[in-house]
Amino acid sequence: MIVDRYDPINLFEMLPKLNLEFEPELRVLDELLEDDELFELVRADLVKRYPNSAKLGRHSTPVEVILRMLVVKRLYGFSYEQTEHFVSDSIVLRQFCRLYLERAPDDTTLIRWANVIGAQTVAALNDRAVELARSLKVTRGRKMRVDATVVETNVHHPTDSALLGDGVRVLSRLLRRAKKALPAEVVGLLGKEAFRTRNRSVRRVAQRLHRIARRKGEKARKELKEAYQKLITLTQASCAQAGQVVEALWDHDDGEAWRLLEHFEHFMALVEQGIIQATRRVLHDEQVPAAKKILSLFEEHTQIITRHKAGKPREFGREVLIDEVDGGIISRYEILAQSGSERSRLPESLRAHQERFGRAPFLLAGDRGLYSTENEKTAQQAGVKRVVLPKSGRLSRERESHEKQRWFRRGFRFRAGIEGRISVLRRGFGLDRCLDHGEEGMERWVGWGIVAHNLRQIARRQVGRQDCSSCSA
């Protein structure tokens, strides 16, 4: 049964000699997280975990504790295990998380609860954080700057050989589980060959591939293709075995069999795509478009993003569009369906800003990747007074004089600040690499990082104001 809160206790009053108190930012954050709308958004998702979660079953970890522990996790860059440890170990964090003298939830429990909270709910939490920033006059929404960054998925460097090796490993693991789930007589009819694992064979071929890849010349290219042909044959054999076992599993309607069928169907389709991809690229020397490539069996939404950065020309993950308003608040974020499509999403950023703040920003700034004649006209028609979108390529004399105006150059300098904001998000709030799984997990991971950042930004502004007022007094 979902529990809202523990009975309140003031741990600081219980230990007066220790003279414990919240640091200024944590004290403001504590007040911000008392907001009822933030609480209700999280609770609405948690009650959906099971049909009767709201009224039946043993008492859950309170909603308030889950919300605050998830914020603490991203605020300090903890893992789930570290969050459990440090919250349990610290009297200050116990009081902040409203855990009091109760036992801290296990890290696996916290993971399960975190996965129940949907990506749309996390986006709604950020919308509410922006509303709080407006109400506290941290931002007025007069300026907006837009840029994109890449959040890498948690995958190793993608190669065709590694993809096929992962496919054989995953299918072999599922075959072992199926052998235990099927009755002994069915296993006997299928024979040992149906459940054979080919991990050692694949490992030997992969090691040979790596040795050949270091060499150059026509002979090396020929041997490389022969090794890839053997690797593809081994992977196809594993797929054929999986197909036999899947047919046997269809005759058994127990829960474990259905779970295995779901996993088999998911991974077999991806492995077969990997076989086709390796055949085209390596054996037939074809160019496969980046949009049609599969880079990982576990994070199949991963995309190749060309960044032209020194030392890192390509990144593997998803591109995220970020809208920042004055006050350092991230008012909106979006996981782009295709990398390089940020130009087409600028009108949506403007529309969302108008909905949130009731008017268009006075200043809109972006880099050359966002410029288009349509975007400039759309912004002006929406009511933006100063549109700072520098044009790429050779400039006409008229355009050059336009971009040399003082307000334009000042606006472009303002735009540069979002690079620093993105750096803070990547270094301090986990937007360098996503550790959650799947596209939903990517949206949730990015959302929690931005929610934690916005709450901290509000807290810092409030503390700064209090310090200024105390100094003037």
Side-chain angles (χ1 to χ4, degrees):
M1 184 172 72
I2 298 296
V3 176
D4 290 348
R5 299 174 174 86
Y6 286 128
D7 293 333
I9 299 173
N10 193 325
L11 297 180
F12 299 162
E13 291 179 357
M14 294 175 67
L15 301 165
K17 291 185 178 180
L18 296 182
N19 196 27
L20 296 170
E21 61 180 10
F22 289 138
E23 59 183 29
E25 283 185 24
L26 209 59
R27 174 174 47 77
V28 178
L29 275 171
D30 180 66
E31 295 170 1
L32 290 172
L33 289 173
E34 288 177 355
D35 182 72
D36 289 336
E37 286 192 38
L38 293 175
F39 175 86
E40 290 299 334
L41 284 168
V42 174
R43 190 182 188 282
D45 269 15
L46 298 187
V47 296
K48 297 174 185 175
R49 185 179 183 186
Y50 295 114
N52 293 312
S53 289
K55 52 187 178 181
L56 297 177
R58 63 180 180 178
H59 287 187
S60 69
T61 304
V63 177
E64 187 175 44
V65 173
I66 293 168
L67 170 60
R68 286 168 177 262
M69 286 186 73
L70 290 175
V71 170
V72 164
K73 175 185 179 297
R74 297 306 293 272
L75 197 64
Y76 295 108
F78 293 155
S79 65
Y80 284 104
E81 190 175 357
Q82 288 173 325
T83 304
E84 178 201 354
H85 171 75
F86 287 116
V87 170
S88 182
D89 193 55
S90 168
I91 295 174
V92 171
L93 288 181
R94 277 181 167 273
Q95 183 68 32
F96 177 80
C97 293
R98 301 289 195 263
L99 190 62
Y100 308 123
L101 299 176
E102 303 293 336
R103 180 181 174 182
D106 188 72
D107 59 315
T108 56
T109 302
L110 198 58
I111 289 171
R112 284 195 292 270
W113 282 120
N115 289 337
V116 173
I117 301 172
Q120 291 183 344
T121 300
V122 181
L125 289 174
N126 188 59
D127 291 343
R128 178 56 185 164
V130 175
E131 287 180 24
L132 290 172
R134 279 195 69 197
S135 64
L136 295 170
K137 298 183 179 178
V138 174
T139 182
R140 294 185 297 165
R142 282 181 53 79
K143 297 179 181 179
M144 183 172 76
R145 49 193 178 193
V146 183
D147 202 0
T149 185
V150 175
V151 180
E152 295 182 342
T153 48
N154 197 25
V155 298
H156 53 66
H157 188 85
T159 61
D160 290 315
S161 59
L163 188 67
L164 296 177
D166 286 343
V168 172
R169 180 168 53 85
V170 170
L171 291 178
S172 297
R173 184 168 64 228
L174 291 174
L175 288 170
R176 287 195 297 271
R177 286 176 57 189
K179 188 176 181 179
K180 294 178 182 178
L182 289 169
E185 58 272 17
V186 176
V187 173
L189 286 171
L190 288 171
K192 290 183 179 179
E193 188 65 22
F195 298 97
R196 176 185 169 188
T197 60
R198 302 175 185 272
N199 291 333
R200 283 189 300 176
S201 301
V202 167
R203 195 180 304 121
R204 283 195 294 268
V205 175
Q207 289 170 352
R208 183 166 172 245
L209 274 169
H210 295 155
R211 288 193 294 269
I212 296 170
R214 296 192 190 103
R215 292 157 45 195
K216 296 181 180 179
E218 188 62 33
K219 185 179 178 182
R221 283 195 291 272
K222 184 179 178 182
E223 289 181 9
L224 188 70
K225 285 190 177 184
E226 289 174 357
Y228 257 106
Q229 181 62 68
K230 187 172 182 180
L231 182 59
I232 289 169
T233 302
L234 289 169
T235 310
Q236 288 171 333
S238 290
C239 284
Q241 290 172 231
Q244 289 180 331
V245 173
V246 164
E247 289 181 9
L249 286 169
W250 276 111
D251 297 330
H252 298 272
D253 57 355
D254 61 309
E256 178 64 16
W258 284 112
R259 281 191 292 273
L260 283 170
L261 277 170
E262 186 178 343
H263 288 312
F264 268 119
E265 290 176 355
H266 175 74
F267 284 109
M268 282 175 68
L270 295 174
V271 173
E272 286 167 3
Q273 186 179 344
I275 291 170
I276 295 168
Q277 178 176 297
T279 303
R280 290 179 62 189
R281 291 186 71 251
V282 182
L283 302 186
H284 299 157
D285 296 321
E286 292 183 24
Q287 290 287 335
V288 179
K292 294 184 178 180
K293 285 181 183 176
I294 177 171
L295 305 178
S296 171
L297 297 181
F298 313 105
E299 302 293 343
E300 60 266 26
H301 64 99
T302 303
Q303 297 175 1
I304 302 172
I305 301 164
T306 304
R307 302 285 285 173
H308 304 293
K309 288 185 176 179
K312 209 170 191 181
R314 293 175 194 84
E315 294 179 89
F316 306 101
R318 296 296 296 275
E319 199 166 14
V320 181
L321 188 68
I322 291 174
D323 302 346
E324 182 193 353
V325 293
D326 49 308
I329 301 297
I330 309 299
S331 60
R332 177 180 171 272
Y333 63 91
E334 180 184 359
I335 313 295
L336 298 178
Q338 292 294 330
S339 63
S341 61
E342 59 265 29
R343 181 181 288 118
S344 63
R345 302 304 297 165
L346 186 62
E348 179 62 24
S349 295
L350 276 171
R351 187 193 61 78
H353 185 95
Q354 287 174 305
E355 284 185 4
R356 191 163 288 119
F357 293 96
R359 52 179 167 73
F362 176 78
L363 169 68
L364 169 66
D367 60 12
R368 287 175 173 81
L370 290 167
Y371 173 82
S372 71
T373 307
E374 293 78 13
N375 280 348
E376 207 165 50
K377 288 180 180 177
T378 300
Q380 290 167 352
Q381 290 169 0
V384 181
K385 301 297 182 185
R386 292 183 174 175
V387 182
V388 181
L389 297 175
K391 185 179 180 181
S392 57
R394 189 180 182 89
L395 302 181
S396 64
R397 189 170 297 177
E398 183 183 356
R399 183 71 195 185
E400 190 174 355
S401 63
H402 173 72
E403 293 189 8
K404 283 185 176 180
Q405 293 180 87
R406 186 181 179 189
W407 66 265
F408 194 99
R409 287 186 284 112
R410 288 184 66 183
F412 195 58
R413 287 197 294 272
F414 167 74
R415 186 222 68 85
I418 198 171
E419 303 290 353
R421 185 68 54 197
I422 287 172
S423 178
V424 168
L425 289 169
R426 290 174 65 87
R427 290 182 293 106
F429 294 92
L431 263 66
D432 54 342
R433 179 174 286 257
C434 172
L435 301 182
D436 275 1
H437 293 295
E439 195 158 6
E440 174 86 3
M442 170 68 78
E443 293 181 14
R444 190 164 49 229
W445 180 270
V446 171
W448 275 117
I450 289 175
V451 167
H453 166 271
N454 282 345
L455 291 173
R456 192 196 68 171
Q457 195 69 14
I458 296 169
R460 283 190 171 180
R461 284 301 183 97
Q462 291 295 92
V463 170
R465 288 172 181 171
Q466 291 168 6
D467 290 343
C468 288
S469 60
S470 61
C471 288
S472 60

